[in-house]
PDB file of all heavy atoms in Angstrom:
ATOM      1  N   ALA A 204       6.845  10.969 -12.701  1.00 98.00           N
ATOM      2  CA  ALA A 204       7.798  12.075 -12.820  1.00 98.00           C
ATOM      3  C   ALA A 204       7.725  12.987 -11.596  1.00 98.00           C
ATOM      4  O   ALA A 204       8.744  13.448 -11.080  1.00 98.00           O
ATOM      5  CB  ALA A 204       7.522  12.868 -14.092  1.00 98.00           C
ATOM      6  N   GLY A 205       6.508  13.237 -11.126  1.00 97.00           N
ATOM      7  CA  GLY A 205       6.345  14.117  -9.967  1.00 97.00           C
ATOM      8  C   GLY A 205       6.968  13.545  -8.713  1.00 97.00           C
ATOM      9  O   GLY A 205       7.641  14.256  -7.960  1.00 97.00           O
ATOM     10  N   ALA A 206       6.744  12.249  -8.465  1.00 98.00           N
ATOM     11  CA  ALA A 206       7.296  11.618  -7.263  1.00 98.00           C
ATOM     12  C   ALA A 206       8.814  11.584  -7.311  1.00 98.00           C
ATOM     13  O   ALA A 206       9.491  11.881  -6.321  1.00 98.00           O
ATOM     14  CB  ALA A 206       6.744  10.207  -7.108  1.00 98.00           C
ATOM     15  N   LYS A 207       9.364  11.225  -8.463  1.00 97.00           N
ATOM     16  CA  LYS A 207      10.821  11.179  -8.587  1.00 97.00           C
ATOM     17  C   LYS A 207      11.433  12.558  -8.357  1.00 97.00           C
ATOM     18  O   LYS A 207      12.465  12.696  -7.694  1.00 97.00           O
ATOM     19  CB  LYS A 207      11.205  10.637  -9.957  1.00 97.00           C
ATOM     20  CG  LYS A 207      10.878   9.164 -10.150  1.00 97.00           C
ATOM     21  CD  LYS A 207      11.233   8.704 -11.561  1.00 97.00           C
ATOM     22  CE  LYS A 207      10.900   7.237 -11.758  1.00 97.00           C
ATOM     23  NZ  LYS A 207      11.214   6.772 -13.134  1.00 97.00           N
ATOM     24  N   ARG A 208      10.801  13.571  -8.907  1.00 98.00           N
ATOM     25  CA  ARG A 208      11.316  14.928  -8.743  1.00 98.00           C
ATOM     26  C   ARG A 208      11.320  15.337  -7.272  1.00 98.00           C
ATOM     27  O   ARG A 208      12.297  15.887  -6.764  1.00 98.00           O
ATOM     28  CB  ARG A 208      10.483  15.917  -9.563  1.00 98.00           C
ATOM     29  CG  ARG A 208      11.000  17.360  -9.506  1.00 98.00           C
ATOM     30  CD  ARG A 208      10.257  18.269 -10.469  1.00 98.00           C
ATOM     31  NE  ARG A 208       8.824  18.310 -10.187  1.00 98.00           N
ATOM     32  CZ  ARG A 208       7.902  17.754 -10.954  1.00 98.00           C
ATOM     33  NH1 ARG A 208       8.255  17.078 -12.046  1.00 98.00           N
ATOM     34  NH2 ARG A 208       6.617  17.830 -10.641  1.00 98.00           N
ATOM     35  N   ARG A 209      10.217  15.049  -6.570  1.00 97.00           N
ATOM     36  CA  ARG A 209      10.150  15.421  -5.153  1.00 97.00           C
ATOM     37  C   ARG A 209      11.171  14.656  -4.324  1.00 97.00           C
ATOM     38  O   ARG A 209      11.791  15.221  -3.415  1.00 97.00           O
ATOM     39  CB  ARG A 209       8.728  15.177  -4.622  1.00 97.00           C
ATOM     40  CG  ARG A 209       7.706  16.185  -5.110  1.00 97.00           C
ATOM     41  CD  ARG A 209       6.384  16.019  -4.370  1.00 97.00           C
ATOM     42  NE  ARG A 209       5.794  14.707  -4.598  1.00 97.00           N
ATOM     43  CZ  ARG A 209       4.968  14.434  -5.604  1.00 97.00           C
ATOM     44  NH1 ARG A 209       4.660  15.357  -6.484  1.00 97.00           N
ATOM     45  NH2 ARG A 209       4.441  13.225  -5.732  1.00 97.00           N
ATOM     46  N   ILE A 210      11.338  13.373  -4.611  1.00 97.00           N
ATOM     47  CA  ILE A 210      12.296  12.557  -3.859  1.00 97.00           C
ATOM     48  C   ILE A 210      13.716  13.085  -4.061  1.00 97.00           C
ATOM     49  O   ILE A 210      14.474  13.278  -3.101  1.00 97.00           O
ATOM     50  CB  ILE A 210      12.203  11.083  -4.283  1.00 97.00           C
ATOM     51  CG1 ILE A 210      10.862  10.482  -3.826  1.00 97.00           C
ATOM     52  CG2 ILE A 210      13.361  10.274  -3.695  1.00 97.00           C
ATOM     53  CD1 ILE A 210      10.571   9.116  -4.419  1.00 97.00           C
ATOM     54  N   PHE A 211      14.102  13.317  -5.312  1.00 97.00           N
ATOM     55  CA  PHE A 211      15.460  13.779  -5.604  1.00 97.00           C
ATOM     56  C   PHE A 211      15.698  15.177  -5.041  1.00 97.00           C
ATOM     57  O   PHE A 211      16.758  15.466  -4.472  1.00 97.00           O
ATOM     58  CB  PHE A 211      15.709  13.771  -7.109  1.00 97.00           C
ATOM     59  CG  PHE A 211      15.677  12.393  -7.722  1.00 97.00           C
ATOM     60  CD1 PHE A 211      15.296  12.215  -9.044  1.00 97.00           C
ATOM     61  CD2 PHE A 211      16.005  11.271  -6.969  1.00 97.00           C
ATOM     62  CE1 PHE A 211      15.255  10.946  -9.606  1.00 97.00           C
ATOM     63  CE2 PHE A 211      15.969   9.999  -7.524  1.00 97.00           C
ATOM     64  CZ  PHE A 211      15.593   9.839  -8.848  1.00 97.00           C
ATOM     65  N   GLN A 212      14.708  16.056  -5.180  1.00 97.00           N
ATOM     66  CA  GLN A 212      14.860  17.413  -4.654  1.00 97.00           C
ATOM     67  C   GLN A 212      15.018  17.395  -3.142  1.00 97.00           C
ATOM     68  O   GLN A 212      15.841  18.129  -2.587  1.00 97.00           O
ATOM     69  CB  GLN A 212      13.651  18.279  -5.047  1.00 97.00           C
ATOM     70  CG  GLN A 212      13.645  18.702  -6.504  1.00 97.00           C
ATOM     71  CD  GLN A 212      12.430  19.534  -6.865  1.00 97.00           C
ATOM     72  OE1 GLN A 212      11.394  19.471  -6.183  1.00 97.00           O
ATOM     73  NE2 GLN A 212      12.521  20.298  -7.932  1.00 97.00           N
ATOM     74  N   SER A 213      14.238  16.554  -2.480  1.00 97.00           N
ATOM     75  CA  SER A 213      14.340  16.459  -1.025  1.00 97.00           C
ATOM     76  C   SER A 213      15.708  15.932  -0.621  1.00 97.00           C
ATOM     77  O   SER A 213      16.330  16.433   0.333  1.00 97.00           O
ATOM     78  CB  SER A 213      13.242  15.541  -0.483  1.00 97.00           C
ATOM     79  OG  SER A 213      13.352  15.377   0.912  1.00 97.00           O
ATOM     80  N   ALA A 214      16.201  14.924  -1.334  1.00 97.00           N
ATOM     81  CA  ALA A 214      17.510  14.359  -1.010  1.00 97.00           C
ATOM     82  C   ALA A 214      18.611  15.404  -1.186  1.00 97.00           C
ATOM     83  O   ALA A 214      19.455  15.597  -0.302  1.00 97.00           O
ATOM     84  CB  ALA A 214      17.788  13.146  -1.892  1.00 97.00           C
ATOM     85  N   PHE A 215      18.612  16.096  -2.319  1.00 97.00           N
ATOM     86  CA  PHE A 215      19.646  17.096  -2.577  1.00 97.00           C
ATOM     87  C   PHE A 215      19.572  18.253  -1.582  1.00 97.00           C
ATOM     88  O   PHE A 215      20.596  18.739  -1.094  1.00 97.00           O
ATOM     89  CB  PHE A 215      19.522  17.641  -4.003  1.00 97.00           C
ATOM     90  CG  PHE A 215      19.788  16.619  -5.066  1.00 97.00           C
ATOM     91  CD1 PHE A 215      19.097  16.653  -6.265  1.00 97.00           C
ATOM     92  CD2 PHE A 215      20.709  15.602  -4.870  1.00 97.00           C
ATOM     93  CE1 PHE A 215      19.337  15.705  -7.255  1.00 97.00           C
ATOM     94  CE2 PHE A 215      20.963  14.653  -5.846  1.00 97.00           C
ATOM     95  CZ  PHE A 215      20.267  14.705  -7.038  1.00 97.00           C
ATOM     96  N   THR A 216      18.340  18.678  -1.269  1.00 97.00           N
ATOM     97  CA  THR A 216      18.160  19.782  -0.323  1.00 97.00           C
ATOM     98  C   THR A 216      18.722  19.415   1.044  1.00 97.00           C
ATOM     99  O   THR A 216      19.408  20.227   1.692  1.00 97.00           O
ATOM    100  CB  THR A 216      16.670  20.139  -0.198  1.00 97.00           C
ATOM    101  OG1 THR A 216      16.197  20.606  -1.461  1.00 97.00           O
ATOM    102  CG2 THR A 216      16.456  21.225   0.851  1.00 97.00           C
ATOM    103  N   GLN A 217      18.462  18.185   1.474  1.00 97.00           N
ATOM    104  CA  GLN A 217      18.925  17.779   2.797  1.00 97.00           C
ATOM    105  C   GLN A 217      20.438  17.588   2.841  1.00 97.00           C
ATOM    106  O   GLN A 217      21.072  17.845   3.871  1.00 97.00           O
ATOM    107  CB  GLN A 217      18.191  16.505   3.229  1.00 97.00           C
ATOM    108  CG  GLN A 217      16.713  16.766   3.506  1.00 97.00           C
ATOM    109  CD  GLN A 217      15.984  15.562   4.033  1.00 97.00           C
ATOM    110  OE1 GLN A 217      15.888  15.369   5.238  1.00 97.00           O
ATOM    111  NE2 GLN A 217      15.466  14.730   3.140  1.00 97.00           N
ATOM    112  N   VAL A 218      21.046  17.173   1.748  1.00 96.00           N
ATOM    113  CA  VAL A 218      22.503  17.096   1.688  1.00 96.00           C
ATOM    114  C   VAL A 218      23.100  18.482   1.898  1.00 96.00           C
ATOM    115  O   VAL A 218      24.043  18.673   2.697  1.00 96.00           O
ATOM    116  CB  VAL A 218      22.969  16.518   0.339  1.00 96.00           C
ATOM    117  CG1 VAL A 218      24.472  16.718   0.159  1.00 96.00           C
ATOM    118  CG2 VAL A 218      22.636  15.035   0.252  1.00 96.00           C
ATOM    119  N   LEU A 219      22.549  19.464   1.206  1.00 97.00           N
ATOM    120  CA  LEU A 219      23.053  20.834   1.335  1.00 97.00           C
ATOM    121  C   LEU A 219      22.824  21.369   2.744  1.00 97.00           C
ATOM    122  O   LEU A 219      23.671  22.087   3.296  1.00 97.00           O
ATOM    123  CB  LEU A 219      22.373  21.735   0.303  1.00 97.00           C
ATOM    124  CG  LEU A 219      22.713  21.436  -1.163  1.00 97.00           C
ATOM    125  CD1 LEU A 219      21.884  22.313  -2.092  1.00 97.00           C
ATOM    126  CD2 LEU A 219      24.197  21.639  -1.420  1.00 97.00           C
ATOM    127  N   GLU A 220      21.674  21.035   3.329  1.00 96.00           N
ATOM    128  CA  GLU A 220      21.394  21.497   4.691  1.00 96.00           C
ATOM    129  C   GLU A 220      22.412  20.941   5.680  1.00 96.00           C
ATOM    130  O   GLU A 220      22.918  21.674   6.545  1.00 96.00           O
ATOM    131  CB  GLU A 220      19.970  21.086   5.093  1.00 96.00           C
ATOM    132  CG  GLU A 220      18.889  21.892   4.391  1.00 96.00           C
ATOM    133  CD  GLU A 220      17.503  21.384   4.695  1.00 96.00           C
ATOM    134  OE1 GLU A 220      17.365  20.209   5.126  1.00 96.00           O
ATOM    135  OE2 GLU A 220      16.536  22.142   4.495  1.00 96.00           O
ATOM    136  N   VAL A 221      22.706  19.644   5.557  1.00 96.00           N
ATOM    137  CA  VAL A 221      23.684  19.034   6.459  1.00 96.00           C
ATOM    138  C   VAL A 221      25.045  19.685   6.280  1.00 96.00           C
ATOM    139  O   VAL A 221      25.737  20.014   7.257  1.00 96.00           O
ATOM    140  CB  VAL A 221      23.775  17.513   6.216  1.00 96.00           C
ATOM    141  CG1 VAL A 221      24.942  16.918   7.012  1.00 96.00           C
ATOM    142  CG2 VAL A 221      22.476  16.821   6.622  1.00 96.00           C
ATOM    143  N   LEU A 222      25.449  19.906   5.045  1.00 94.00           N
ATOM    144  CA  LEU A 222      26.754  20.521   4.775  1.00 94.00           C
ATOM    145  C   LEU A 222      26.827  21.948   5.310  1.00 94.00           C
ATOM    146  O   LEU A 222      27.905  22.433   5.655  1.00 94.00           O
ATOM    147  CB  LEU A 222      27.042  20.511   3.271  1.00 94.00           C
ATOM    148  CG  LEU A 222      27.248  19.119   2.651  1.00 94.00           C
ATOM    149  CD1 LEU A 222      27.425  19.240   1.143  1.00 94.00           C
ATOM    150  CD2 LEU A 222      28.442  18.411   3.287  1.00 94.00           C
ATOM    151  N   ASN A 223      25.668  22.597   5.397  1.00 94.00           N
ATOM    152  CA  ASN A 223      25.618  23.969   5.912  1.00 94.00           C
ATOM    153  C   ASN A 223      25.309  24.029   7.402  1.00 94.00           C
ATOM    154  O   ASN A 223      25.072  25.108   7.954  1.00 94.00           O
ATOM    155  CB  ASN A 223      24.570  24.781   5.145  1.00 94.00           C
ATOM    156  CG  ASN A 223      24.988  25.060   3.720  1.00 94.00           C
ATOM    157  OD1 ASN A 223      26.172  25.284   3.450  1.00 94.00           O
ATOM    158  ND2 ASN A 223      24.030  25.045   2.798  1.00 94.00           N
ATOM    159  N   GLY A 224      25.274  22.863   8.062  1.00 93.00           N
ATOM    160  CA  GLY A 224      25.033  22.835   9.495  1.00 93.00           C
ATOM    161  C   GLY A 224      23.591  23.013   9.894  1.00 93.00           C
ATOM    162  O   GLY A 224      23.295  23.274  11.064  1.00 93.00           O
ATOM    163  N   GLN A 225      22.674  22.848   8.942  1.00 95.00           N
ATOM    164  CA  GLN A 225      21.248  22.972   9.237  1.00 95.00           C
ATOM    165  C   GLN A 225      20.642  21.577   9.415  1.00 95.00           C
ATOM    166  O   GLN A 225      20.842  20.700   8.576  1.00 95.00           O
ATOM    167  CB  GLN A 225      20.530  23.701   8.093  1.00 95.00           C
ATOM    168  CG  GLN A 225      21.046  25.109   7.853  1.00 95.00           C
ATOM    169  CD  GLN A 225      20.466  25.716   6.590  1.00 95.00           C
ATOM    170  OE1 GLN A 225      20.383  25.052   5.558  1.00 95.00           O
ATOM    171  NE2 GLN A 225      20.050  26.965   6.668  1.00 95.00           N
ATOM    172  N   ARG A 226      19.903  21.401  10.481  1.00 96.00           N
ATOM    173  CA  ARG A 226      19.309  20.084  10.752  1.00 96.00           C
ATOM    174  C   ARG A 226      18.154  19.837   9.786  1.00 96.00           C
ATOM    175  O   ARG A 226      17.161  20.570   9.782  1.00 96.00           O
ATOM    176  CB  ARG A 226      18.810  20.022  12.186  1.00 96.00           C
ATOM    177  CG  ARG A 226      18.171  18.707  12.573  1.00 96.00           C
ATOM    178  CD  ARG A 226      17.984  18.643  14.065  1.00 96.00           C
ATOM    179  NE  ARG A 226      17.186  17.510  14.463  1.00 96.00           N
ATOM    180  CZ  ARG A 226      17.251  16.927  15.648  1.00 96.00           C
ATOM    181  NH1 ARG A 226      18.087  17.399  16.553  1.00 96.00           N
ATOM    182  NH2 ARG A 226      16.484  15.894  15.937  1.00 96.00           N
ATOM    183  N   PRO A 227      18.245  18.794   8.946  1.00 96.00           N
ATOM    184  CA  PRO A 227      17.197  18.535   7.946  1.00 96.00           C
ATOM    185  C   PRO A 227      15.956  17.908   8.558  1.00 96.00           C
ATOM    186  O   PRO A 227      16.033  17.206   9.572  1.00 96.00           O
ATOM    187  CB  PRO A 227      17.878  17.568   6.975  1.00 96.00           C
ATOM    188  CG  PRO A 227      18.884  16.872   7.819  1.00 96.00           C
ATOM    189  CD  PRO A 227      19.369  17.869   8.827  1.00 96.00           C
ATOM    190  N   ALA A 228      14.818  18.147   7.929  1.00 94.00           N
ATOM    191  CA  ALA A 228      13.547  17.638   8.451  1.00 94.00           C
ATOM    192  C   ALA A 228      13.474  16.118   8.396  1.00 94.00           C
ATOM    193  O   ALA A 228      12.811  15.497   9.218  1.00 94.00           O
ATOM    194  CB  ALA A 228      12.390  18.244   7.658  1.00 94.00           C
ATOM    195  N   GLY A 229      14.176  15.514   7.430  1.00 96.00           N
ATOM    196  CA  GLY A 229      14.085  14.065   7.266  1.00 96.00           C
ATOM    197  C   GLY A 229      15.171  13.295   7.989  1.00 96.00           C
ATOM    198  O   GLY A 229      15.429  12.132   7.666  1.00 96.00           O
TER     199      GLY A 229
END
Side-chain angles (χ1 to χ4, degrees):
K207 291 178 180 179
R208 183 173 59 251
R209 287 189 298 271
I210 291 169
F211 295 151
Q212 285 179 338
S213 177
F215 295 146
T216 297
Q217 291 184 92
V218 168
L219 293 175
E220 287 174 340
V221 172
L222 293 176
N223 290 324
Q225 299 171 317
R226 180 168 171 154

